[in-house]
Amino acid sequence: MKTVNHPKSKFLFIGLFLAAFLINLSPINTFAQGITPEQVAKMTNVTSSNISPDGRYVVYTLSVPADAFKSNAANASHLYVLNTATGESRPYFTTASVSQVTFRPKKGTVTFLTRKPNDAQNAVYELNLNGGEASKLYSFSTNILNYVWDADGNMLAFTALEETKKPSTSLTYSPNFYEEDFAMRRAYTVDVSQGTVAEMLKVRGSVYLLSWSPDKSKIAISAAPTSSIDDSFMKQQIMVVDARTKEVISTIDNQGKLGQIEWSTDSRRLAIRAGKDINDPIDGRILVVSATGGKPQIIDADFKGKYESITWTAENTIHFLASIGTGSTIGAIRPDGGGKTTLFSTSVHGITSFSRGTNGAISFVASSPTHPAEVFTISTLRNAQPVKRTNHNPWLDNLKLGKQEVIKYPARDGKYEIEGILMYPVDYQPGTRVPLITVVHGGPEAHYSNGWLTGYSVPGQMATAKGYAVFYPNYRGSTGRGVDFAYSSQRDLAGKEFDDVVDGVDYLIAQGLVDEKRVGVTGGSYGGYASAWMATYYSNRFAASVMFVGISNNISKWGTSDIPEELFLVHSRKRVWEDWQWQLERSPIYYVDRAQTPILIMHGADDPRVHPAQSMELYRHIKVRKPDVPVRLIYYPGEGHGNSRSGSKYDYNLRMFQWFDTYLMSGNPKADKPSLDLPATK
């Protein structure tokens, strides 16, 4: 399943560290050395970067969490500017959260979306690179969702929700009309240099992506029939609109998931980052098509990786960021698929975004096994190596962390060699068997890169400090290994994909690292599904489980999720009513009679993707049918498909470790459940 808080189903590792003295805070449990939950709760994280056309500046956003002891609030996103010549980086806008940060063409300024305290809705603000106050450039009657500039920086194209009104009634209340009160996303253009009134594009449906042609005459857009999440995933259609008349002048015959639209420099073609077809679970291929319409043609079809981002930089050059296995690559390719070159490739960084200036300079955001995401730049020199430009968590440099490495092992059916990432306990002594926490990613169309793998719901280096090994398997169906591997888990829910996870555990046991009686598992969304599966179907193999926003019953899951078509098209590939028994037999509740694993179940109370009842069903089955198995269910009010607020994230982190310490570190499956109270911390 897709995560609300993190597109690519990778749970984002976010937090803020405010002062170096916090390193010495007393831990909640026993953290002999290394990182603690308190530190993770305060860790900052760079989330995006954009380099100026001349390469002199990089604007980037820094995710800053609220103090969990003062408020239960979402992270703030602050705007920073890096001078690439001097290396100086400083905050430019921190009074409110920002998004959609970009350079305004030909104006030498930065624009972004934010909502100041006195604003009725968010607006486009502008900031001079020389400093000063941000000024409101344009606002609309409803929140602006996304925007793009024309080549001169005068015309703005944007999307916003249409204004809606509640049905009239003489009563003192109005009910909610499920899936009937979604507002449509409309697209508009406005000349901000002239102060004209915004004009709506004459497009049917709900508009998502926008891309203005370099010659300013056309706008490529994508629209879905409705504003439902399911339609936005599976039914976005690309159209080209005349920028003057606002009429659709051509339609692209694309199918499936869609992530990006880029114009050729001559405004004649489009490059699309999308799925191969309607059944592709990801938008990781490059397709090219004429702007006059037609069927897009896939290029580099045999690529055993995933394209993460593209930008058309010259008539015959498309630059890209790609994932290959657990590593990342920045390179270039011709629009016919030939001439592929690599500018930079890394196996020890997870790159999440990149930006290229017209002079060839590049900025990108990347994490490493020992540090969360920071800003890097590459100069215009051929074969130049990236330079790390920021260091927002310098206190990490003084901590001892567990060693992290990529491992490979054979799947039991012999069809694939599976990749995973392994963290050793801090100061691990070879030959010693230790407890293991297995962390299963969501999706399953996602993957773990060999970067920073520690966050509120991901044990990582917090666990290595306590003596655990941590294992992150990229089981079949994961991304970063080409189309065939991404398709390989379809029609086989919880089958060979989860066998791959167990095969990885067996491999680590055989290597003499893991104590087979102290193996734990956790994960969110599809990883929560795996955590429930391991606590039922594979219960004899796992000593503790922490399930987060996970699936327990595929039949009721289909009837309560906001993405039923996506579930069919890129996961089960059969309708639920075509084989009820198969759907049931791929559900953890079906195997509760096997359950002996102590399981902590946690869920956002307002999750639209995996309904909270999925957790309740598993809890109730275990509680009634296996009353001697320790089970606890926790709901987080106001949270959806993954926790987004500081207090609920910190609480989740503490209770996850409380559960693992009780049942996994101790190796005692009969231990009393942990107290509902948490130790006093500060």
Side-chain angles (χ1 to χ4, degrees), residues 527-602:
Y529 180 25
S531 300
W533 189 256
M534 303 311 175
T536 53
Y537 184 88
Y538 272 121
S539 187
N540 64 320
R541 304 299 309 280
F542 290 86
S545 175
V546 176
M547 171 189 175
F548 190 33
V549 294
I551 304 156
S552 68
N553 182 345
N554 281 307
I555 295 175
S556 57
K557 165 68 170 67
W558 184 89
T560 55
S561 177
D562 60 356
I563 52 169
E565 279 299 285
E566 202 248 11
L567 292 174
F568 159 64
L569 289 167
V570 306
H571 294 288
S572 69
R573 298 291 294 273
K574 64 172 71 173
R575 298 291 186 182
V576 65
W577 52 85
E578 293 174 348
D579 195 339
W580 297 101
Q581 187 63 26
W582 181 85
Q583 296 282 354
L584 184 60
E585 290 179 7
R586 297 306 175 100
S587 302
I589 60 166
Y590 190 75
Y591 300 97
V592 165
D593 60 314
R594 302 185 184 184
Q596 58 190 28
T597 304
I599 182 169
L600 172 62
I601 306 170
M602 296 190 275

Side-chain angles (χ1 to χ4, degrees), residues 28 56 123 141 143 346 380 410 440 472 530 532 580 651 662 665 669 672:
I28 295 159
R56 294 175 57 195
S141 57
N143 282 331
T346 176
T380 57
V440 186
Y472 302 83
W580 297 101
D651 181 271
T662 299
M665 184 59 77
D672 292 337

Side-chain angles (χ1 to χ4, degrees), residues 129-238:
L129 287 171
N130 294 325
E133 289 292 322
S135 59
K136 185 185 294 187
L137 188 61
Y138 181 75
S139 64
F140 192 61
S141 57
T142 61
N143 282 331
I144 296 173
L145 303 174
N146 61 320
Y147 72 94
V148 292
W149 288 106
D150 75 348
D152 289 335
N154 294 325
M155 294 290 294
L156 195 67
F158 66 94
T159 64
L161 294 178
E162 65 181 355
E163 294 188 70
T164 59
K165 64 177 183 178
K166 290 186 176 182
S168 61
T169 176
S170 59
L171 301 177
T172 57
Y173 73 95
S174 179
N176 291 327
F177 295 86
Y178 186 63
E179 291 190 348
E180 290 190 58
D181 55 1
F182 290 162
M184 297 290 277
R185 298 167 57 112
R186 304 301 186 188
Y188 306 82
T189 62
V190 63
D191 189 337
V192 296
S193 67
Q194 300 296 322
T196 57
V197 175
E199 298 180 81
M200 188 168 72
L201 303 189
K202 299 171 184 177
V203 175
R204 290 184 177 180
S206 200
V207 180
Y208 291 88
L209 300 179
L210 299 167
S211 183
W212 212 307
S213 65
D215 66 7
K216 304 177 294 182
S217 67
K218 300 176 286 293
I219 305 169
I221 65 99
S222 71
T226 74
S227 57
S228 75
I229 297 297
D230 218 9
D231 278 0
S232 74
F233 281 169
M234 305 308 305
K235 295 184 180 181
Q236 287 190 50
Q237 190 77 36
I238 299 174

Side-chain angles (χ1 to χ4, degrees), residues 420-476:
I421 298 169
L422 174 66
M423 289 183 184
Y424 292 83
V426 173
D427 290 333
Y428 173 70
Q429 298 299 314
T432 305
R433 290 191 180 271
V434 298
L436 174 75
I437 300 177
T438 307
V439 187
V440 186
H441 67 67
E445 60 272 22
H447 72 275
Y448 288 115
S449 296
N450 191 22
W452 183 252
L453 294 175
T454 303
Y456 83 91
S457 64
V458 184
Q461 294 292 354
M462 293 178 289
T464 68
K466 294 168 67 66
Y468 295 100
V470 189
F471 171 48
Y472 302 83
N474 284 332
Y475 52 98
R476 71 187 70 191

